[in-house]
């Protein structure tokens, strides 16, 4: 089972018999909000109980759906996985399960990138998900294959593609991984994964 399935099972346990599982999450696209500089895509938002969670993706979904849609679902394609990511983030925000579910403001992009560059200095990096900013900033540190990497940097969309899911599942527990930005905050919080978002809100 994938990383997302593990996070969903954890969330299902947390909200069991609370009534939240029957709650409706509204999924929409917000083109006007601040977004993390690292992932590539548009901002899909999940709204639940007055709270919002973001997920940056190239395949956004617009729908109203129950939280329980995720429970036991195969999540067979990137759209379903992205929707699950947004739902996880919105519910995590509502339940205060994790912090920093909203991005920093653009004036914090440069210090965030500088700090991340220092954090990964001297390591061979594999990027899971499209991240043009890091491709440019990390230059020769970025490697083309996961086998050659010391460290994986994972964006939200990296958790949704077939290749990204397979890569994370194969190397989780064997290679160091850092999950970047608000898109990955809910999953990271539920599974105690290393999360990078120093200026998130």
């Amino acid at each position: 089972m994938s990383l997302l399935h593990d996070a969903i099972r954890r969330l299902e346990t947390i909200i069991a018999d609370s009534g939240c599982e029957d709650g409706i999450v509204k999924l929409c696209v917000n083109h006007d909000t601040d977004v993390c500089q690292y992932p590539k895509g548009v901002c899909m938002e999940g709204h639940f109980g007055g709270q919002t969670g973001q997920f940056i993706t190239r395949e956004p979904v617009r729908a109203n759906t129950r939280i329980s849609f995720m429970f036991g679902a195969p999540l067979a394609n990137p759209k379903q996985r992205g929707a699950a990511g947004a739902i996880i983030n919105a519910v995590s925000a509502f339940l205060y399960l994790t912090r920093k579910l909203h991005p920093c403001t653009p004036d914090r992009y440069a210090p965030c990138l500088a700090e991340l560059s220092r954090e990964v200095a001297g390591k061979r990096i594999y990027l899971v998900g499209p991240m043009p900013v890091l491709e440019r900033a990390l230059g020769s540190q970025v490697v083309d294959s996961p086998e050659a990497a010391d460290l994986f940097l994972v964006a939200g969309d990296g958790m949704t593609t077939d290749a990204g899911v397979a890569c994370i599942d194969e190397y989780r527990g064997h290679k160091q991984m850092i999950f970047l930005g608000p898109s990955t905050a809910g999953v990271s919080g539920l599974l105690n994964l290393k999360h990078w978002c120093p200026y998130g809100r």
Side-chain angles (χ1 to χ4, degrees), residues 9-152:
R9 281 198 301 272
R10 175 72 180 132
L11 184 62
E12 184 176 5
T13 299
I14 290 170
I15 67 174
D17 301 320
S18 69
C20 287
E21 60 268 31
D22 295 321
I24 300 295
V25 179
K26 179 182 179 181
L27 298 174
C28 61
V29 174
N30 186 343
H31 294 284
D32 299 319
T33 190
D34 290 330
V35 295
C36 178
Q37 65 181 316
Y38 302 125
K40 186 176 180 181
V42 299
C43 178
M44 176 170 55
E45 288 183 340
H47 296 266
F48 180 72
Q51 298 294 325
T52 303
Q54 283 190 358
F55 196 90
I56 307 302
T57 178
R58 291 169 294 169
E59 298 197 47
V61 173
R62 296 168 177 85
N64 292 330
T65 184
R66 294 187 188 280
I67 295 171
S68 57
F69 121 83
M70 304 183 298
F71 301 162
L75 303 180
N77 61 57
K79 281 194 171 190
Q80 291 175 355
R81 295 175 198 135
I87 293 168
I88 289 169
N89 287 340
V91 177
S92 293
F94 175 73
L95 297 174
Y96 298 98
L97 297 176
T98 188
R99 301 181 304 142
K100 300 189 178 179
L101 285 153
H102 297 91
C104 65
T105 52
D107 61 301
R108 291 299 193 178
Y109 285 0
C112 179
L113 179 57
E115 289 179 32
L116 182 59
S117 297
R118 286 193 294 272
E119 176 78 11
V120 303
K123 295 183 178 177
R124 293 168 298 175
I125 309 298
Y126 186 73
L127 302 177
V128 185
M131 292 178 264
V133 169
L134 291 179
E135 288 174 15
R136 290 190 299 271
L138 300 178
S140 61
Q141 283 183 258
V142 176
V143 296
D144 293 329
S145 71
E147 295 85 1
D150 303 312
L151 170 67
F152 290 12

Side-chain angles (χ1 to χ4, degrees), residues 178-197:
I178 300 177
F179 292 78
L180 302 177
S183 293
T184 66
V187 169
S188 298
L190 287 165
L191 298 179
N192 296 313
L193 303 170
K194 186 168 183 179
H195 183 245
W196 180 270
C197 194

